[in-house]
Amino acid sequence: MMASSGSIDASHYTSSRTQTNLCFHGNPLRHLDPFGTAVNYLDSAFRNIRNLGIISVTSTDTGSLYSKSLNVTMRHYGSNIVRTEYYKELAARMVLVTVARAAARCNKGIEVMLAVAVEHFVLVVVRVLRGPTQADESAKRIRQLIHCQWCEERVFLKQGSMVEENLYRQLPCNCHGSMPGKTAVELGPLWSGPLFNSGFLRRMLCAAVQHSMEDIQPLVKTLICESECTTLKSSVHGPTALINQVECGVVIKVQKVEESGTADHSGKRKTGDEPGNVVKKLKSDGSLEHPAFYYGIHRHSIRGMNMPKLNRFLQYLTEAGFRVSRTHFDPTGVRTDATLDQFKSVLTKYSVPTYTNTTATQNPEETVRAME
Ligand SMILES: [Zn+2]
């Protein structure tokens, strides 16, 4: 996958059984591709990598990543998880915690470039940000998640170590009020920060177009929409549009940093530079809050109702004022900042009872049978 990412300089190529060292746009790129889990190789990968270096990690231990052997998950990742409708994103966020922790042990932070989970592996690519402040900022992104066992609503626990009287209050659903006993589980620790850097992904797409790598382009386009939480395919269609956008200033953050003179050519920050500039950038980006996780449209379909087609439904959600995109993690998943209740109320509004199919009061083209 990384071979599509543009100017990789093979003259710096060194390789061992699990680790490959390359050069990416003048910065070191280290790719870990071990057999199974990568957790044992992360410390050495982060120990002596330069500021703004790129580390990519492939994990193929899908048994523990995809919630099949929970005891192995606990052993290797130290995370408590259960099988959820968003299990693939859960896996990516779990891997990122181990990556962020390995970085923090070396006084480094991470900025996630991309995190993908496909059938047989999870791939995460991060940029290394050297310094204790960056390490602290990354560590703050490690959170617990509350997951409702009834409706699968979920929310990251608020920051802070004070014990709260009723954690259920943080969960937007009211299953706890309407069902007897305990209704939610606490999952994690998980990475709660963003999973994508759209500038990096746009560069990947540029490189894929330049090198005529047709097979990877659909995935990268999906990732760009997902990273910006938009359904506007037009923003990524065609190399001309893409290059124009890049020229119009859609560039990855590292370039902005270099342009504003906070980093010299080797990627090290200059002395006398205002400390924490990168951190401020991270914080301002945090206000945009990339919506975490997704809801499966079939999982939440209304019984006895025909639901709208997925693309129509995305449009309805957008019109209702929510941020919406599809997700590569699940072909029927919807990434949105709407809560599950809001998601369901829009779905209910635009679903029609199944009998209207025969009375033909609705255009049958616009509806599909809801899966049970
Ligand atoms: Zn619930």
Side-chain angles (χ1 to χ4, degrees):
M1 193 157 186
M2 294 313 299
S4 65
S5 306
S7 65
I8 288 176
D9 180 359
S11 66
H12 293 76
Y13 179 89
T14 58
S15 182
S16 66
R17 209 147 48 101
T18 56
Q19 183 172 307
T20 308
N21 291 307
L22 296 156
C23 192
F24 175 75
H25 289 285
N27 287 312
L29 187 160
R30 192 164 284 170
H31 180 58
L32 300 184
D33 193 4
F35 180 78
T37 178
V39 291
N40 298 320
Y41 307 100
L42 293 172
D43 279 324
S44 64
F46 276 97
R47 200 164 296 138
N48 56 359
I49 188 142
R50 241 175 31 193
N51 191 29
L52 305 180
I54 302 277
I55 292 185
S56 73
V57 180
T58 308
S59 312
T60 55
D61 52 331
T62 48
S64 36
L65 288 171
Y66 293 166
S67 323
K68 284 170 208 147
S69 27
L70 301 177
N71 54 332
V72 185
T73 309
M74 181 52 83
R75 244 184 280 146
H76 290 166
Y77 293 92
S79 267
N80 175 47
I81 53 170
V82 294
R83 179 80 173 194
T84 62
E85 65 167 331
Y86 49 94
Y87 68 96
K88 284 193 173 175
E89 186 168 332
L90 215 50
R93 291 184 181 276
M94 203 165 59
V95 171
L96 282 168
V97 166
T98 60
V99 170
R101 286 208 165 130
R105 279 193 286 274
C106 307
N107 291 322
K108 289 166 186 134
I110 59 164
E111 185 185 1
V112 182
M113 299 290 108
L114 64 92
V116 294
V118 288
E119 224 161 88
H120 62 285
F121 68 89
V122 171
L123 170 73
V124 302
V125 179
V126 301
R127 178 182 287 145
V128 177
L129 305 171
R130 279 183 83 129
T133 321
Q134 275 80 359
D136 292 345
E137 285 302 315
S138 291
K140 281 182 200 159
R141 300 284 200 176
I142 299 174
R143 301 265 184 93
Q144 295 291 113
L145 185 85
I146 322 179
H147 169 86
C148 176
Q149 296 273 61
W150 284 98
C151 70
E152 299 218 38
E153 178 63 299
R154 72 304 296 242
V155 69
F156 279 112
L157 275 182
K158 285 181 192 143
Q159 231 179 334
S161 53
M162 297 307 289
V163 176
E164 226 180 277
E165 204 175 308
N166 186 359
L167 289 178
Y168 285 101
R169 278 195 206 128
Q170 294 191 29
L171 204 56
C173 71
N174 52 23
C175 300
H176 184 61
S178 54
M179 308 282 182
K182 295 162 183 165
T183 54
V185 283
E186 199 178 316
L187 308 182
L190 299 166
W191 174 258
S192 69
L195 296 183
F196 310 101
N197 177 307
S198 70
F200 184 86
L201 292 168
R202 281 177 185 281
R203 267 206 198 185
M204 268 183 81
L205 183 57
C206 249
V209 170
Q210 276 169 16
H211 296 94
S212 307
M213 301 177 79
E214 310 289 340
D215 52 337
I216 197 178
Q217 290 177 26
L219 174 64
V220 181
K221 282 177 185 171
T222 306
L223 291 177
I224 291 172
C225 285
E226 190 171 6
S227 72
E228 292 166 4
C229 203
T230 172
T231 51
L232 296 173
K233 280 260 167 62
S234 57
S235 67
V236 293
H237 267 322
T240 325
L242 177 81
I243 287 157
N244 283 345
Q245 283 198 345
V246 171
E247 281 169 359
C248 289
V250 183
V251 288
I252 61 170
K253 270 183 219 148
V254 58
Q255 287 188 326
K256 285 179 192 164
V257 172
E258 280 168 0
E259 279 157 16
S260 61
T262 56
D264 67 20
H265 191 69
S266 69
K268 283 178 188 164
R269 283 205 274 130
K270 284 174 181 169
T271 50
D273 164 39
E274 272 180 75
N277 255 1
V278 180
V279 174
K280 271 182 208 155
K281 269 177 184 296
L282 284 178
K283 275 183 184 163
S284 65
D285 286 356
S287 62
L288 285 169
E289 283 297 326
H290 185 249
F293 302 116
Y294 44 89
Y295 303 112
I297 190 166
H298 291 150
R299 167 77 176 77
H300 300 290
S301 65
I302 319 298
R303 198 170 279 270
M305 303 275 269
N306 284 337
M307 61 184 178
K309 279 181 177 164
L310 184 51
N311 282 335
R312 268 289 161 82
F313 177 61
L314 296 179
Q315 196 187 317
Y316 296 141
L317 265 179
T318 310
E319 283 162 11
F322 299 109
R323 297 179 65 197
V324 178
S325 78
R326 298 187 71 155
T327 171
H328 83 282
F329 287 112
D330 179 351
T332 62
V334 179
R335 184 179 295 283
T336 176
D337 59 352
T339 65
L340 184 57
D341 277 346
Q342 292 165 331
F343 178 93
K344 276 181 171 170
S345 76
V346 174
L347 190 59
T348 310
K349 189 176 167 190
Y350 293 100
S351 294
V352 289
T354 43
Y355 63 80
T356 57
N357 258 357
T358 51
T359 59
T361 53
Q362 292 277 328
N363 181 2
E365 293 290 297
E366 290 194 6
T367 55
V368 290
R369 274 199 70 85
M371 283 176 77
E372 288 303 310

